[in-house]
Amino acid sequence: MPLVTTTDMFKKAYEGGYAIGAFNVNNMEIVQGITEAAAEEQAPLILQVSAGARKYAKHVYLIKLVEAALEDTNLPIALHLDHGPDFETCKSCIDGGFTSVMIDGSSSPFAENITLTKKVVEYAHANGVVVEGELGQLAGVEDDVNVEHHSYTDPDQVQEFVETTGVDSLAIAIGTSHGAYKFKPGQKPQLRFDILEEITRRLPGFPIVLHGASSVIPELVQKINTYGGAMPDAIGIPEDMLRQAAKSAVCKINIDSDLRLAMTASIREHMALNPADFDPRQYLKPARSAIKDMVQRKIQNVLGCSGKA
Ligand code: G3H
Ligand code: 13P
Ligand code: ZN
């Protein structure tokens, strides 16, 4: 099956009360672990690539890995640019085989965000590619940008943004954040479901995206620290809150940090227990399995998209 856009996936997810996982990929083991899990679950899948991932692995390697995953699994897979920083990066991904791009104008003033997003939408749609825009700003660390506080999405802006730009989906800020440190120690995790509800009322039937949706599984942080790591207290979004979101207008849920934690915990454990090992296959094999297990856990506990491929 060739790569697909997210149009059909989102329509079915919206109607079916589930969400599609968008998992960040950076290398072969990550692509394999994710797609093996999705294949076993027969789940639709979004593989997403950040500007940092393109810089790390090179566009062509990532494209070829995703092509291999398609050939291997026959699943509906969309290839998405995560946090496209500018028009040129989006254009390069559209020209280079991606089926979906995000233009992240969320740090710009509303009018500038609209102008930039509209420009990307015009180019993308002319080439059969779909576009995710963003309104509101998440707290947390993403690439080189560290945002201290949330700027929740203003429901009064969403209709104008979507109608003027023509975007196909909208990422919103309701209290999720990027990275492993989403809440301060002692702080109670919470999401603004009231804002989500109001946005849904203003945009009936329109697919919403949640970034920063890792749950930061405590056992993984513990394992990292047991085997030589020194992570401070890390708190994520509880899985039941994300499950609730997945049943609503939220059709795409972005997960990266939980994969990083799973892979790192596995490699740390292997190295601590096998200190003489120097064969990358010996530690990357369990690391790939850890990615697979994490994605299966997300499909079952959070996304609800098992069997929807
Ligand atoms: O939201 C950002 C993703 O976690 C990607 O992170 O830019 O370090 O690849 P990255
Ligand atoms: P996490 O850091 O919570 O995994 O979020 C990833 C993300 O939003 C990628 O765009
Ligand atoms: Zn993000």
Side-chain angles (χ1 to χ4, degrees):
M1 188 188 291
L3 280 172
V4 298
T5 71
T6 51
T7 308
D8 193 44
M9 282 185 193
F10 287 170
K11 191 171 180 295
K12 288 183 185 155
Y14 200 107
E15 285 163 5
Y18 61 89
I20 318 290
F23 300 98
N24 287 76
V25 297
N26 295 280
N27 67 14
M28 183 187 78
E29 285 74 14
I30 298 176
V31 171
Q32 287 180 336
I34 297 167
T35 46
E36 276 171 29
E40 219 161 283
E41 294 292 329
Q42 281 303 294
L45 181 62
I46 299 169
L47 293 174
Q48 59 184 11
V49 169
S50 68
R54 279 179 94 226
K55 206 160 138 194
Y56 170 76
K58 283 196 187 171
H59 182 98
V60 64
Y61 284 83
L62 293 167
I63 280 276
K64 298 292 174 194
L65 285 171
V66 173
E67 279 172 8
L70 281 170
E71 211 175 299
D72 202 29
T73 61
N74 207 30
L75 281 178
I77 300 178
L79 177 56
H80 174 77
L81 168 66
D82 189 27
H83 293 285
D86 47 43
F87 176 79
E88 289 67 33
T89 308
C90 292
K91 181 178 182 302
S92 162
C93 288
I94 294 164
D95 295 345
F98 283 42
T99 52
S100 173
V101 294
M102 173 189 192
I103 176 68
D104 185 352
S106 61
S107 59
S108 302
F110 186 60
E112 276 173 43
N113 189 358
I114 286 192
T115 307
L116 175 62
T117 305
K118 193 166 188 275
K119 185 175 172 191
V120 172
V121 169
E122 278 164 6
Y123 189 76
H125 285 183
N127 289 279
V129 169
V130 291
V131 179
E132 173 185 324
E134 178 163 352
L135 265 184
Q137 247 193 319
L138 273 63
V141 183
E142 179 251 313
D143 248 345
D144 301 331
V145 186
N146 189 348
V147 182
E148 186 73 27
H149 298 290
H150 302 290
S151 305
Y152 294 115
T153 305
D154 179 355
D156 283 341
Q157 293 185 329
V158 296
Q159 255 170 325
E160 183 185 344
F161 186 81
V162 167
E163 279 163 22
T164 317
T165 60
V167 280
D168 304 278
S169 61
L170 181 68
I172 61 167
I174 57 165
T176 60
S177 50
H178 288 111
Y181 308 101
K182 300 188 192 299
F183 299 96
K184 305 222 167 6
Q187 206 182 354
K188 199 167 163 274
Q190 57 175 24
L191 293 185
R192 292 289 305 271
F193 281 100
D194 57 325
I195 297 179
L196 173 60
E197 240 171 73
E198 188 52 30
I199 290 171
T200 309
R201 201 177 67 74
R202 310 281 184 105
L203 296 173
F206 192 78
I208 300 299
V209 177
L210 276 193
H211 282 247
S214 280
S215 293
V216 190
I217 318 296
E219 301 87 82
L220 291 178
V221 178
Q222 263 165 32
K223 198 191 243 190
I224 287 171
N225 288 344
T226 301
Y227 294 113
M231 285 185 68
D233 284 344
I235 307 170
I237 317 290
E239 287 181 330
D240 58 339
M241 283 187 197
L242 294 164
R243 182 74 198 103
Q244 188 184 336
K247 287 179 181 162
S248 73
V250 172
C251 294
K252 173 173 178 272
I253 293 191
N254 284 14
I255 296 161
D256 186 9
S257 295
D258 277 339
L259 301 185
R260 295 180 183 198
L261 290 166
M263 190 164 201
T264 302
S266 168
I267 292 173
R268 276 200 178 275
E269 180 182 33
H270 180 90
M271 288 310 201
L273 301 180
N274 303 275
D277 196 2
F278 64 99
D279 178 351
R281 291 169 300 188
Q282 296 304 317
Y283 54 85
L284 290 176
K285 196 174 166 190
R288 180 174 58 190
S289 292
I291 296 268
K292 180 184 173 192
D293 293 347
M294 178 57 68
V295 172
Q296 266 186 299
R297 173 183 178 140
K298 297 292 171 188
I299 290 171
Q300 291 167 10
N301 294 4
V302 170
L303 302 161
C305 61
S306 191
K308 308 291 187 187

